[in-house]
Amino acid sequence: MTEQSSAGRRFRDAVADERPLQVVGAINAYSALLAERAGFRALYVSGAGVANASYGLPDLGITQLADVVEDVRRITDATRTPVLVDIDTGFGGAFSVARTVRELTRAGAAAVHIEDQVQAKRCGHRPGKELVSTAEMVDRVKAAVDARTDPELVVMARTDARASEGLEAAVERAEAYVEAGADMVFAEAMHSLDDIRAFTDRVPVPVLANITEFGKTPYFTVEELREAGAGLVLYPLSAFRAMSRAAEAVYGAIRADGTQERVLDRMQTREELYEVLGYHDYERKLDELFGRDGRTGGGQR
Ligand SMILES: C[C@](O)(C(=O)O)[C@H](CC(=O)O)C(=O)O
Ligand SMILES: [Mg+2]
């Protein structure tokens, strides 16, 4: 990996090096830093995460391209770890899909996944999903592939067909999407390792298994997924769910007790925060620049 390598190249390298590549959701730049420190080689910007965490909205196709781009840019500014981005249905017709791909590449995305649901999409693990035809999704994939400005940007095609059309139809769709140029496939809402195996046996590109919590897919281990041939495994919202639970506990305790003492052990300390941010290096830089022990220079006042 060279300094010049594109984000897409870094993502492809990570997929080649780690099987299956663990891809973990980060809802903001600070979470991205934490994930990186934990050793993950790829990050994820979840559509549900943008909707839920950044806008307080459900994952029902309400957020738009600009909302996703903003979150992606903040994360890619903070880390060089490649980022897979959920672009839902691509935010419109062929030219809109192309614009989505270009904007996200500019924002530093390494990979995008586009799905075959209708524009008024649902979460992949909820009932009531409707799909566009295979032909329409093939057009989406072609538009996305054609719009690449980083030739190594990964275009991943997601199929939600398992729920409404069954496993065989879902695999056939995936094959058609790969034929149309998709670099990788996202097999959504698999019920079993055999489901995953059905994809990996027939689809000639890396297949992602989405191990989101409280959904349709059991919590398969990396080892089990490797045996089933998965190329990537996604944990889109795990940290967000845990952060939310911790926040509930802290808000509740402060409100009930009139002090935070009972929940201090749930908090990262100031020193730990600074460690992650490299805060002291910034301070040293100030001292170096302005040489005023502890006092800031004119530019910082
Ligand atoms: C992966 C996903 O598309 C997301 O936006 O994170 C969601 C995750 C979830 O709702 O748990 C999905 O699977 O539809
Ligand atoms: Mg999503």
Side-chain angles (χ1 to χ4, degrees):
M1 187 178 92
T2 65
E3 266 308 298
Q4 288 76 40
S5 64
S6 75
R9 179 74 260 154
R10 297 198 298 278
F11 191 81
R12 288 171 191 264
D13 288 346
V15 171
D17 290 350
E18 184 179 316
R19 277 281 164 142
L21 175 68
Q22 287 187 303
V23 186
V24 75
I27 55 148
N28 54 35
Y30 188 70
S31 300
L33 294 179
L34 294 177
E36 196 175 50
R37 283 170 72 89
F40 289 100
R41 292 204 47 198
L43 303 171
Y44 182 60
V45 171
S46 147
V50 172
N52 304 166
S54 297
Y55 291 90
L57 289 169
D59 181 22
L60 289 168
I62 305 168
T63 42
Q64 295 296 315
L65 172 60
D67 305 326
V68 182
V69 165
E70 181 68 29
D71 280 7
V72 171
R73 188 168 291 131
R74 289 179 183 182
I75 290 172
T76 56
D77 273 355
T79 168
R80 265 178 65 79
T81 301
V83 180
L84 166 64
V85 181
D86 180 355
I87 59 170
D88 290 337
T89 60
F91 307 108
F95 292 124
S96 298
V97 169
R99 180 161 174 260
T100 296
V101 167
R102 286 196 304 268
E103 290 277 310
L104 280 162
T105 306
R106 249 198 301 276
V112 295
H113 72 73
I114 186 162
E115 71 202 33
D116 54 11
Q117 289 198 57
V118 296
Q119 215 91 258
K121 56 144 296 157
R122 311 253 177 134
C123 160
H125 292 254
R126 298 289 304 157
K129 292 190 289 182
E130 274 179 61
L131 270 52
V132 297
S133 67
T134 301
E136 190 169 337
M137 177 62 181
V138 159
D139 288 351
R140 281 182 190 168
V141 172
K142 284 183 180 163
V145 167
D146 178 70
R148 272 198 284 236
T149 47
D150 167 5
E152 298 187 294
L153 177 92
V154 170
V155 174
M156 182 184 288
R158 161 168 151 177
T159 182
D160 280 72
R162 173 77 182 87
S164 56
E165 299 179 357
L167 184 61
E168 176 59 27
V171 174
E172 279 169 20
R173 277 179 175 264
E175 287 174 322
Y177 306 161
V178 171
E179 190 72 24
D183 301 299
M184 298 186 192
V185 159
F186 183 137
E188 176 63 319
M190 296 293 102
H191 295 188
S192 66
L193 288 170
D194 284 345
D195 282 11
I196 295 167
R197 173 64 72 190
F199 272 80
T200 59
D201 275 350
R202 287 181 32 209
V203 173
V205 297
V207 172
L208 177 146
N210 177 15
I211 311 296
T212 191
E213 295 83 12
F214 318 115
K216 300 265 182 248
T217 312
Y219 303 114
F220 299 125
T221 64
V222 156
E223 192 50 49
E224 288 169 326
L225 291 164
R226 184 180 305 126
E227 274 163 30
L232 307 91
V233 49
L234 179 64
Y235 312 87
L237 297 161
S238 313
F240 168 61
R241 296 189 211 285
M243 289 156 76
S244 301
R245 178 65 99 213
E248 273 178 343
V250 167
Y251 290 138
I254 294 174
R255 190 71 178 153
D257 303 352
T259 169
Q260 62 272 67
E261 258 166 330
R262 191 159 58 84
V263 286
L264 281 175
D265 62 352
R266 297 194 176 225
M267 298 184 192
Q268 217 181 23
T269 64
R270 180 180 298 272
E271 205 37 60
E272 287 161 347
L273 169 75
Y274 288 178
E275 163 81 23
V276 175
L277 296 172
Y279 186 94
H280 298 300
D281 293 339
Y282 283 85
E283 266 183 348
R284 266 190 293 277
K285 181 78 186 167
L286 280 181
D287 292 346
E288 223 177 271
L289 277 173
F290 308 119
R292 295 181 198 176
D293 275 343
R295 288 179 46 217
T296 56
Q300 290 293 313
R301 248 194 292 269

